[in-house]
């Protein structure tokens, strides 16, 4: 709810971007990881020509765009509550 009413602090956004970039680059660290990454992209319909600019696009996310997304998608009509019980 906090992100719907106020912008994420730049330090928090920078930390999230750093973690995302580290994970993204880890997915390209070995031949197997690169193959899985390319297979995932192919199944999701992402053209190979767009993969080189994908990380840059994610790194350009701003606090305003996060706020806009939160107010547009996280609305009461989209709430789903799951009750999970141990047997």
């Amino acid at each position: 709810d906090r992100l719907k009413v106020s912008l994420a602090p730049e330090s928090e956004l920078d930390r999230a971007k750093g973690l995302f970039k580290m994970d993204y680059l880890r997915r390209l660290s070995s031949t197997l990881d690169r193959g899985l990454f390319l297979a995932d992209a192919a199944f999701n319909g992402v053209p190979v020509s767009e993969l080189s600019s994908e990380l840059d696009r994610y790194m350009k996310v701003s606090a305003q765009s996060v706020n806009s997304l939160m107010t547009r998608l996280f609305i009461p009509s989209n709430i789903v509550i799951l009750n999970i019980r141990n047997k």
Side-chain angles (χ1 to χ4, degrees), residues 58-69:
Y58 290 128
M59 292 295 113
K60 290 179 184 177
V61 169
S62 68
Q64 292 82 7
S65 62
V66 171
N67 180 266
S68 174
L69 182 72

Side-chain angles (χ1 to χ4, degrees), residues 4 65-75 78:
K4 287 200 280 189
S65 62
V66 171
N67 180 266
S68 174
L69 182 72
M70 293 295 294
T71 56
R72 199 172 66 241
L73 296 179
F74 289 85
I75 55 176
N78 287 343

Side-chain angles (χ1 to χ4, degrees), residues 3-4 6 11 14-15 20 27 30 34-35 42-45 49 52 58-59 68-69 76-78 80-81 86-87:
L3 293 175
K4 287 200 280 189
S6 64
S11 60
D14 289 341
R15 182 172 181 265
F20 180 84
R27 291 174 55 191
S30 73
R34 281 190 296 275
F43 284 121
N44 287 315
S49 60
S52 62
Y58 290 128
M59 292 295 113
S68 174
L69 182 72
S77 63
N78 287 343
V80 174
I81 298 174
N86 290 334
K87 289 186 176 185

Side-chain angles (χ1 to χ4, degrees), residues 20-21 24-25 51-59:
F20 180 84
K21 184 175 183 178
Y24 188 91
L25 295 175
L51 292 177
S52 62
S53 63
E54 186 179 41
L55 181 60
D56 292 334
R57 190 175 72 240
Y58 290 128
M59 292 295 113

Side-chain angles (χ1 to χ4, degrees), residues 19-42 46-48 50-56 58-59:
L19 290 172
F20 180 84
K21 184 175 183 178
M22 181 177 63
D23 183 58
Y24 188 91
L25 295 175
R26 183 195 54 77
R27 291 174 55 191
L28 301 173
S29 63
S30 73
T31 305
L32 174 62
D33 291 330
R34 281 190 296 275
L36 291 171
F37 179 77
L38 290 172
D40 185 49
V46 178
V48 175
E50 290 183 16
L51 292 177
S52 62
S53 63
E54 186 179 41
L55 181 60
D56 292 334
Y58 290 128
M59 292 295 113

